[in-house]
Amino acid sequence: MDKVDLCFAPATELAGAIRSKKLSSVEITSTVLERIAALEPKLNAFAHLAAAQAMDAAAAADSALAKGDSLGPLHGIPVTIKDLEPVRGMPFERGTYLFRGEVAPADNVAVARLREAGAIILGKTTTPEFGWKGVSHSPLTGVTHNPWKLGLNAGASSSGAGVGAAAGYGPLHQGSDGAGSIRMPAHFCGVYGIKPTYGRVPQSPMTPSDNTVHLGPLTRTVADAALMLKVMAGRHPDDQSSLEGPPADYPAQLANRPRAPRIAFSPDLGHARVDPDVAALVRKAAEAFETELGWRVEQVKTPWGPKGPELARFFWPAHYSRYADRVAESRDRLDPGFVACFEAGQHITLPDYLKMKVAKLAYCAEIHHFFEDWDFLLTPAVSVAAFPATQLQPDHWPQHKWDWMSWAEFSYPFNLAQNPAASVPCGFTASGLPVGLQIVGRRCDDLGVLQMSAAFEAARPWASARPPIA
């Protein structure tokens, strides 16, 4: 295995190589860090690279193996953490000058579990300011570039995580998703990302975002995502919304196919605009579940769909009101789009919020009733392919001061309703840009979404596709 191949190797393969002593953690980590050093001036996926600490941890991992210590499932495997999650001793700046220089005193739960499983933390990956938008740019870290074409949007808010997965910065990358922030980078960067059911991966501290932010993995293979998700998942007392039941053994059950799944397909949720090249690739991918996997897929109407935009455009600015004191003192250092979004929420009253909360709960109930008749729903992951990362919308798309969600109508419904949803690579546009198919499952059926993703991956492999970077 040459150095580049090692950087793109899946965690499932590297774990076995470490245990059999065919590869050392020091060898893997140093090779990945070498690649990061060579490409970071171009891609800008890291908010903080902890190279020295990573090498120390890798040496300790090799020492533990030599002594015969008990090994975790991720022993010696490199992983990155999005800079919306605290990692002890590392900067915790959240893409904004407002928190520049802040250092986290402790790991959050997911990070602690990754460490306990033996993972080597490489550093913190980039995110837009507060994770507020789906575009890979922040005032603090600048543009994070799409590895398929520099200058284009890599997706967000898990920007650096998506780029890291695509560019060979090791196999495992932690992301979070409040309105599509795992699935959008997966779509734009041509990798796999799954937003599990809300509460599957606990949060500590919890965020006041009305239970819409889901933590999950971005990887090059479904098996790696299953491995990483199993490590992070499971209830925790710090998070009262964490799911009580233990996570399934995702890696062990991944190859089992759902029996006669009822699969629905919606090209537009009854209201969403989709670029023709994206729509064509997604339709062909949906057809593959019939032609290549032997399952029936039925195009359906989703009566709840058109109600989503009003809800999303209400709650998104409403929840950023919590930064009111900081915005007032630092407006000139903030993303102008974030300021416009924040200002759009300033007129919202408590009665307004409670009224819309009732409407949201009814909307979520409609989605869950839909899934009484269907096991899975297939849609586009995102309406457009990558566009310039300095813009909120593509040039041919309706322009708005802050509304980037007009091209992400397929993702946020399943944050509101808390369903598991994944973006799987399903092809490239004529200009060579990746496109993702979204697979949505019933609430708590994370295993089913992983299994459907793995079945599609087996029929239409994607992990060998690498972006045209050095």
Side-chain angles (χ1 to χ4, degrees):
M1 186 185 302
D2 67 21
K3 286 188 173 184
V4 174
D5 288 341
L6 190 152
C7 290
F8 282 94
T12 51
E13 181 179 332
L14 294 176
I18 289 172
R19 281 173 167 73
S20 65
K21 299 185 180 179
K22 292 179 181 177
L23 288 170
S24 70
S25 181
V26 164
E27 182 180 359
I28 295 167
T29 304
S30 62
T31 303
V32 170
L33 287 170
E34 211 175 284
R35 182 168 177 82
I36 291 169
L39 295 183
E40 265 305 86
K42 298 178 184 178
L43 297 179
N44 190 34
F46 275 91
H48 173 73
L49 182 62
Q53 296 97 313
M55 288 303 300
D56 288 346
D62 289 340
S63 177
L65 179 63
K67 291 187 293 185
D69 292 350
S70 177
L71 306 182
L74 301 181
H75 187 85
I77 306 296
V79 63
T80 70
I81 306 298
K82 179 180 177 179
D83 195 26
L84 290 183
E85 307 303 328
V87 178
R88 71 169 184 265
M90 292 190 191
F92 184 31
E93 297 178 327
R94 288 151 275 186
T96 177
Y97 282 105
L98 299 187
F99 295 115
R100 190 175 190 181
E102 183 171 321
V103 174
D107 294 335
N108 82 342
V109 175
V111 174
R113 288 177 174 175
L114 289 167
R115 282 196 204 269
E116 289 165 7
I120 308 299
I121 297 177
L122 298 177
K124 308 291 293 292
T125 51
T126 55
T127 181
E129 192 159 53
F130 302 115
W132 86 273
K133 63 182 178 181
V135 182
S136 55
H137 169 270
S138 87
L140 182 64
T141 56
V143 169
T144 294
H145 295 267
N146 191 311
W148 293 93
K149 188 173 182 182
L150 300 183
L152 297 190
N153 181 21
S157 61
S158 306
S159 311
V163 172
Y169 286 5
L172 305 177
H173 305 270
Q174 177 269 327
S176 58
D177 189 316
S181 292
I182 286 173
R183 291 158 290 160
M184 289 185 292
H187 161 91
F188 285 119
C189 292
V191 298
Y192 182 71
I194 180 168
K195 174 192 77 68
T197 302
Y198 182 82
R200 181 68 69 199
V201 179
Q203 298 179 57
S204 176
M206 295 183 70
T207 59
S209 55
D210 199 22
N211 294 359
T212 58
V213 176
H214 308 55
L215 274 59
L218 283 130
T219 60
R220 296 184 62 81
T221 69
V222 179
D224 275 3
L227 178 63
M228 187 177 183
L229 181 57
K230 184 186 177 186
V231 167
M232 294 191 294
R235 71 173 300 275
H236 192 277
D238 286 358
D239 184 346
Q240 64 189 33
S241 65
S242 59
L243 298 179
E244 182 67 25
D249 189 348
Y250 305 128
Q253 299 184 54
L254 193 61
N256 299 334
R257 290 189 179 185
R259 297 180 62 183
R262 298 169 297 174
I263 307 172
F265 169 58
S266 176
D268 60 6
L269 295 185
H271 70 92
R273 170 180 169 177
V274 184
D275 280 356
D277 51 353
V278 173
L281 287 166
V282 169
R283 182 173 289 277
K284 287 181 181 178
E287 291 169 354
F289 282 87
E290 289 193 321
T291 59
E292 298 178 42
L293 293 168
W295 291 322
R296 183 184 175 191
V297 177
E298 184 176 337
Q299 185 166 325
V300 300
K301 293 183 178 180
T302 52
W304 41 267
K307 303 172 186 176
E310 180 185 5
L311 291 167
R313 286 158 184 74
F314 176 88
F315 285 109
W316 200 246
H319 291 147
Y320 286 110
S321 296
R322 64 186 185 272
Y323 296 115
D325 56 337
R326 291 183 173 272
V327 171
E329 67 189 31
S330 303
R331 184 181 300 258
D332 60 335
R333 306 185 80 190
L334 300 173
D335 184 329
F338 172 76
V339 173
C341 179
F342 166 82
E343 289 177 342
Q346 293 308 289
H347 68 282
I348 295 172
T349 65
L350 181 57
D352 291 336
Y353 187 89
L354 294 175
K355 181 179 179 180
M356 288 299 281
K357 184 69 176 287
V358 171
K360 173 198 160 181
L361 294 173
Y363 171 80
C364 295
E366 286 191 70
I367 292 176
H368 295 309
H369 282 300
F370 172 88
F371 279 98
E372 290 184 335
D373 297 322
W374 302 98
D375 298 308
F376 302 99
L377 172 65
L378 309 178
T379 77
V382 179
S383 292
V384 299
F387 55 89
T390 53
Q391 302 175 195
L392 278 178
Q393 304 89 5
D395 288 332
H396 66 288
W397 212 256
Q399 302 298 299
H400 192 277
K401 288 183 179 180
W402 65 267
D403 179 15
W404 58 268
M405 290 185 286
S406 60
W407 47 260
E409 305 280 17
F410 296 97
S411 52
Y412 61 73
F414 308 110
N415 293 86
L416 298 179
Q418 304 182 354
N419 298 65
S423 177
V424 301
C426 68
F428 294 86
T429 66
S431 56
L433 297 174
V435 169
L437 167 74
Q438 180 172 235
I439 302 174
V440 187
R442 291 177 170 179
R443 186 173 177 275
C444 296
D445 191 18
D446 307 276
L447 176 60
V449 172
L450 286 164
Q451 290 172 332
M452 292 291 284
S453 301
F456 183 78
E457 179 185 37
R460 298 277 189 90
W462 62 71
S464 61
R466 298 179 185 178
I469 54 177

